[in-house]
Amino acid sequence: MTNRQITVVRIYLRESEHLLHKIIKHLHDDAKVLGVTVFRGIEGFSEDGTIRTESLVDLSLDLPLVIEFFDDPDKAEAVVETLVDKLHLHHIVSWPALAHTRV
């Protein structure tokens, strides 16, 4: 097994911001990052304190979304800078990790 240093990046947003497809397109077509996953939250809140939730009565179209991607540290940092400049994203976190691959 070989280990490789990577950076994992999470972008937090809401469905109502309508940025998901722009971000995915950039990560796939332009940045060509190693991997991306999108999570759709069932409940959450942000700085404004408004709780957004999914229920059978109210089918919300403003649920939390988390886009997670990973790549080499330098590339991940460059992608984050581009996304912040291009789309004015505010809620991004990242951390170092190891990718474990079988030889």
Side-chain angles (χ1 to χ4, degrees):
M1 181 182 312
T2 61
N3 297 327
R4 172 180 170 184
Q5 286 287 338
I6 60 168
T7 296
V8 179
V9 178
R10 277 194 180 170
I11 303 167
Y12 294 90
L13 44 116
R14 295 188 329 263
E15 290 173 313
S16 66
E17 293 177 274
H18 304 291
L19 293 173
L20 176 62
H21 297 293
K22 290 178 185 177
I23 295 169
I24 294 297
K25 182 175 177 11
H26 177 76
L27 295 174
H28 182 268
D29 298 346
D30 302 329
K32 299 182 184 345
V33 299
L34 294 175
V36 177
T37 300
V38 177
F39 302 95
R40 184 175 188 240
I42 59 170
E43 188 167 16
F45 66 90
S46 58
E47 293 172 344
D48 67 4
T50 303
I51 295 176
R52 291 165 177 85
T53 186
E54 179 179 58
S55 70
L56 293 176
V57 177
D58 175 31
L59 293 176
S60 176
L61 295 175
D62 195 20
L63 291 172
L65 295 173
V66 176
I67 302 170
E68 184 173 283
F69 73 90
F70 64 92
D71 211 311
D72 295 320
D74 291 340
K75 185 172 182 181
E77 182 62 31
V79 171
V80 167
E81 287 179 21
T82 299
L83 288 173
V84 168
D85 290 344
K86 192 174 179 180
L87 300 175
H88 310 290
L89 300 177
H90 303 292
H91 298 74
I92 301 175
V93 297
S94 63
W95 60 91
L98 286 176
H100 308 281
T101 54
R102 198 174 199 177
V103 181

